[in-house]
Amino acid sequence: MTESAESSAGSSAGSSVPPRSSAAPAARVPGLHAVVPAGGAGTRLWPLSRAGSPKFLHDLTGAGRSLLQQTVDRLAPLADGVVVVTGERHAAAVLDQLPDLRGSVLAEPSPRDSMAAIGLAAAVLAEREDDPVIGSFAADQVVEAGPAFGEAVRQAVVAARAGYVVTVGIRASGPSTAFGYVRTGEPLGLADAPDACRASGFTEKPDAATAAAYLATGEYRWNAGMFVVRASVLLDHLARLLPVLHDGLREIARAWDTDARDDVLARVWPGLQRIAIDHAIAEPVAAEGGVAVVPGDFGWDDVGDFASLGDLVPADAEGRHVLGDADAVLTLDAARPVVVPGSGRLVAVLGLDDAVVVDMPDALLVTTRAHAQQVKGVVDAVRAAGRDDLV
Amino acid sequence: MTESAESSAGSSAGSSVPPRSSAAPAARVPGLHAVVPAGGAGTRLWPLSRAGSPKFLHDLTGAGRSLLQQTVDRLAPLADGVVVVTGERHAAAVLDQLPDLRGSVLAEPSPRDSMAAIGLAAAVLAEREDDPVIGSFAADQVVEAGPAFGEAVRQAVVAARAGYVVTVGIRASGPSTAFGYVRTGEPLGLADAPDACRASGFTEKPDAATAAAYLATGEYRWNAGMFVVRASVLLDHLARLLPVLHDGLREIARAWDTDARDDVLARVWPGLQRIAIDHAIAEPVAAEGGVAVVPGDFGWDDVGDFASLGDLVPADAEGRHVLGDADAVLTLDAARPVVVPGSGRLVAVLGLDDAVVVDMPDALLVTTRAHAQQVKGVVDAVRAAGRDDLV
């Protein structure tokens, strides 16, 4: 099996999400403040997604709402508030999509990875609220918004109040090689969160054999990067593990709701360390026994590539997965095509199974589902060819 | 072997033409008048070629000249004159490409197939010249313009003067299923045309086994639809075999260089029979022993589909066959792609071997070389979808 085929099989395995699941009534979780990091270019979805028009701003499931909007739609009924952290470049587009969030969009002057993004939100909320619990949920994932999601968040908040950094472990629908895994340890014994367990560790994306071995143990779940934690707990860990980053974020947070915000941001932000929250907090704290995992038994996908997107976009009567105007697509002797007709032109596919055709006004990608994970290489080549205008 | 694979192998077999062969000095053949039927939409080359912008108007080899221009370039040094027969719709475009041919472009009010087109030219030239020999060469083929072509034409004219309808039989480079064949009989024994033989018959496009059997005999050559014949001989055959069509064409020809042309055309042309010259003349006259074949041992291709086009467009350093701006094409893990970047956009191909990507401003085709012959089905489907604007 080739690496690409593995990757494809892996990412396909994640796609058990009903794309248009009806929003079920969710019970509010008092004290929870949702944080939505909206970053990342979605490189593997080029040329649909790109730095200037990233994945989270797109409707990638045909639901009529962008991934960002769907994320906020899902969280708003649960939380006391929703804060979006995004780049300055995208703040206007975020507010266009979410006009109700004016005042709740934190704009980063430059990308500083997920620890700075989530840490900034935690520090700002810690200034604004009384010991808030924050729940961080990426803006570019597809999640089945139903009772199971609400229950996972509820138990996660209980465990967070008990002092844990809590992650949601997604029930794996197959041995995906596209996701990292979290390993579940012994139950925490929390009365109101009976399913919460200690997290005994995190893994990077495994190879196929390792992924299969993980699943055989019954102990591993997909790490969706969802973190629920008291802001004070997160900031205390940060102060201990990355004190300079902590102090910088705290200084910015104190100035955030004042006239000094821009000055402090301009002075402090550029020097902040770039690090993912996984490496900054989750892994070292898990090693200390301070991370909990609650099971997430709901459909989830990170729409990491076009194979995944193809599984999320419902097939039409001809078995085609068209994100956009199906009348603009004509297929003949071509099974399971994934087509994004994004330029207004007619797209005709003949004699290719599992083709991926992404037709944008300035760039066209032709590939197959099996090569979906390698689209990043195309973007690298586009950049190497001096066409930064296209990425 | 699938039908499409056969077809592809077949049409590839024809592609032994050096696309940029330097024009060799050709000896004039006195009394020869070249006739160039410029018709046919080149349906299998959609969306590059289409009814409004047909194959013969395109540079399909990257030579910098359209197929029509290359055809005239090749014939002008040999013949006393060149006449192009085309549809009214394309007459202006033909003259744009060939400004020297003003007065030598015969515009048909509507398509009436090759017998009417060539018959019209023969009848008009018979009015203008003293017993001319006409040589008909399609405007949409790629032919190696060298001494072998000139010699074939020279011998064909000798045989034509002896009263034969003469066809040029192309040396088959493989058992193509994309072309018809002509079978060579006994030598005619003409002193100045030692290679001219009687044609013992024509065949339609064979299946692969039949094609292989043909080649094994050593008697079969590809029928390129090149006909050389005295205008009077052609018209006499026509008068005998299709007298009404003959009379109509004669009436039009008598009026052609007069003020009555438009009136006569409007009255007579619409009623002319639609028939190919192969069925009207070549086959029945061959059965009577009146057709000769001279060998054409030069590179030839009818550029019938994108597989054939891919073979004609030279590979670049990366092994890609790009008709157009190679800088607009980016390939990764994709062997032997055939790409027509015709919209100004970047075309990226990842992980597909033998892909065919034809990117025009209003339509995109994605297929493979093996499916090149089936592009006609796409055009049918485009039409069925009500998108006549695109075909």
Side-chain angles (χ1 to χ4, degrees):
Chain A
M1 194 182 232
T2 66
E3 183 184 301
S4 58
E6 284 173 18
S7 300
S8 172
S11 82
S12 294
S15 304
S16 56
V17 184
R20 290 194 179 82
S21 61
S22 58
R28 182 167 296 277
V29 184
L32 173 66
H33 289 261
V35 172
V36 177
T43 303
R44 288 187 187 82
L45 294 176
W46 181 90
L48 175 60
S49 172
R50 50 184 86 184
S53 176
K55 184 179 159 190
F56 59 83
L57 293 174
H58 291 267
D59 169 15
L60 294 186
T61 64
R65 301 278 283 169
S66 73
L67 295 185
L68 171 66
Q69 288 173 317
Q70 292 185 60
T71 302
V72 172
D73 292 347
R74 188 167 58 244
L75 294 168
L78 296 174
D80 288 348
V82 179
V83 165
V84 175
V85 191
T86 194
E88 268 178 4
R89 181 179 184 186
H90 303 303
V94 166
L95 279 170
D96 273 354
Q97 292 197 356
L98 300 167
D100 293 346
L101 285 198
R102 200 159 297 276
S104 298
V105 174
L106 309 186
E108 302 172 304
S110 55
R112 282 295 175 275
D113 217 325
S114 58
M115 186 66 253
I118 297 166
L120 173 67
V124 168
L125 287 168
E127 297 286 331
R128 291 179 179 175
E129 312 287 337
D130 178 25
D131 196 20
V133 174
I134 65 164
S136 174
F137 302 89
D140 58 358
Q141 300 179 348
V142 174
V143 176
E144 185 185 3
F149 178 70
E151 174 61 11
V153 171
R154 191 195 64 73
Q155 292 205 30
V157 170
V158 170
R161 289 206 189 286
Y164 291 95
V165 176
V166 189
T167 187
V168 180
I170 308 291
R171 181 175 53 199
S173 58
S176 176
T177 60
F179 309 133
Y181 287 72
V182 55
R183 186 175 186 181
T184 302
E186 78 282 4
L188 294 181
L190 297 171
D192 290 339
D195 301 322
C197 295
R198 199 176 305 277
S200 55
F202 292 91
T203 73
E204 304 276 337
K205 297 177 185 182
D207 61 28
T210 307
Y214 286 169
L215 294 202
T217 67
E219 296 173 358
Y220 287 82
R221 287 173 167 260
W222 290 337
N223 175 17
M226 300 174 178
F227 292 104
V228 181
V229 60
R230 280 165 55 201
S232 59
V233 169
L234 183 76
L235 292 166
D236 286 351
H237 283 309
L238 193 62
R240 195 165 50 84
L241 294 163
L242 290 162
V244 175
L245 178 55
H246 168 269
D247 294 350
L249 290 171
R250 286 286 210 174
E251 184 176 0
I252 293 168
R254 280 192 298 271
W256 194 266
D257 292 323
T258 75
D259 293 342
R261 181 205 299 176
D262 290 348
D263 288 347
V264 175
L265 261 183
R267 178 167 48 80
V268 177
W269 186 268
L272 296 183
Q273 290 152 297
R274 292 174 186 247
I275 184 170
I277 191 172
D278 309 74
H279 305 317
I281 298 284
E283 290 163 9
V285 175
E288 301 166 354
V291 174
V293 56
V294 297
D297 294 349
F298 46 82
W300 172 86
D301 200 296
D302 76 343
V303 208
D305 60 30
F306 285 113
S308 166
L309 183 141
D311 290 328
L312 289 168
V313 174
D316 65 14
E318 299 175 56
R320 316 169 318 170
H321 302 265
V322 178
L323 183 62
D325 177 13
D327 288 343
V329 179
L330 195 154
T331 52
L332 214 67
D333 189 15
R336 302 170 299 280
V338 180
V339 183
V340 184
S343 75
R345 306 181 312 156
L346 182 77
V347 176
V349 182
L350 165 67
L352 274 168
D353 290 343
D354 296 304
V356 172
V357 179
V358 184
D359 181 57
M360 304 306 289
D362 57 356
L364 164 69
L365 172 70
V366 176
T367 186
T368 69
R369 288 189 184 217
H371 290 82
Q373 281 281 312
Q374 292 162 247
V375 170
K376 197 174 179 310
V378 173
V379 175
D380 292 342
V382 171
R383 207 175 271 118
R387 296 302 303 273
D388 287 315
D389 56 310
L390 296 177
V391 299
Chain B
M1 195 182 232
T2 65
E3 182 184 303
S4 59
E6 284 172 19
S7 301
S8 172
S11 83
S12 295
S15 304
S16 55
V17 185
R20 291 194 179 83
S21 60
S22 57
R28 182 166 296 277
V29 183
L32 173 66
H33 290 261
V35 172
V36 177
T43 303
R44 289 186 185 82
L45 294 176
W46 182 90
L48 174 59
S49 172
R50 51 185 84 185
S53 176
K55 184 179 159 190
F56 60 81
L57 292 174
H58 291 268
D59 169 14
L60 294 186
T61 63
R65 301 278 283 169
S66 73
L67 295 184
L68 171 65
Q69 288 173 317
Q70 292 185 60
T71 302
V72 172
D73 292 347
R74 187 167 58 244
L75 294 168
L78 296 174
D80 288 349
V82 179
V83 165
V84 175
V85 190
T86 194
E88 267 178 5
R89 181 179 184 185
H90 303 303
V94 166
L95 279 170
D96 274 354
Q97 292 197 356
L98 300 167
D100 293 347
L101 284 198
R102 199 160 297 276
S104 297
V105 174
L106 309 185
E108 302 172 303
S110 55
R112 282 295 175 274
D113 217 325
S114 57
M115 186 65 253
I118 297 166
L120 173 67
V124 168
L125 287 168
E127 297 287 332
R128 291 179 181 176
E129 312 288 337
D130 178 26
D131 197 19
V133 173
I134 66 164
S136 174
F137 302 89
D140 58 358
Q141 301 179 347
V142 174
V143 176
E144 185 185 3
F149 178 71
E151 175 60 12
V153 172
R154 191 195 65 74
Q155 292 203 32
V157 170
V158 170
R161 289 206 189 285
Y164 291 95
V165 176
V166 190
T167 187
V168 180
I170 307 290
R171 181 175 52 200
S173 59
S176 176
T177 60
F179 310 132
Y181 287 72
V182 55
R183 186 175 186 182
T184 302
E186 78 284 2
L188 293 182
L190 297 171
D192 290 339
D195 301 320
C197 295
R198 200 175 304 277
S200 56
F202 293 91
T203 72
E204 304 277 336
K205 297 178 185 181
D207 61 28
T210 307
Y214 285 170
L215 293 202
T217 67
E219 296 173 359
Y220 287 82
R221 287 173 166 260
W222 290 336
N223 175 17
M226 300 174 179
F227 291 104
V228 181
V229 60
R230 280 166 55 200
S232 59
V233 170
L234 183 76
L235 292 165
D236 286 352
H237 283 309
L238 193 62
R240 197 165 48 85
L241 295 163
L242 291 162
V244 176
L245 178 55
H246 167 269
D247 294 350
L249 290 171
R250 287 287 210 173
E251 183 176 1
I252 293 168
R254 280 192 298 273
W256 194 266
D257 293 322
T258 75
D259 293 342
R261 182 204 298 176
D262 290 348
D263 288 347
V264 175
L265 261 183
R267 178 167 50 80
V268 178
W269 187 268
L272 296 182
Q273 290 151 298
R274 292 174 186 247
I275 184 169
I277 190 172
D278 309 74
H279 305 316
I281 299 283
E283 291 164 10
V285 175
E288 301 166 355
V291 174
V293 56
V294 295
D297 293 349
F298 46 82
W300 173 86
D301 201 295
D302 75 343
V303 208
D305 60 30
F306 285 113
S308 166
L309 183 141
D311 291 328
L312 289 168
V313 174
D316 65 15
E318 299 174 57
R320 315 169 319 171
H321 302 266
V322 177
L323 183 62
D325 177 14
D327 288 343
V329 179
L330 195 154
T331 51
L332 214 67
D333 189 14
R336 302 170 298 279
V338 180
V339 182
V340 184
S343 75
R345 306 181 312 157
L346 181 77
V347 176
V349 183
L350 165 67
L352 275 167
D353 291 343
D354 296 305
V356 172
V357 179
V358 184
D359 182 57
M360 304 306 289
D362 56 356
L364 163 70
L365 172 70
V366 177
T367 186
T368 70
R369 288 189 185 217
H371 291 81
Q373 281 280 311
Q374 293 162 249
V375 170
K376 197 174 180 310
V378 173
V379 175
D380 292 343
V382 171
R383 206 174 272 120
R387 297 301 303 273
D388 288 316
D389 56 310
L390 296 177
V391 299

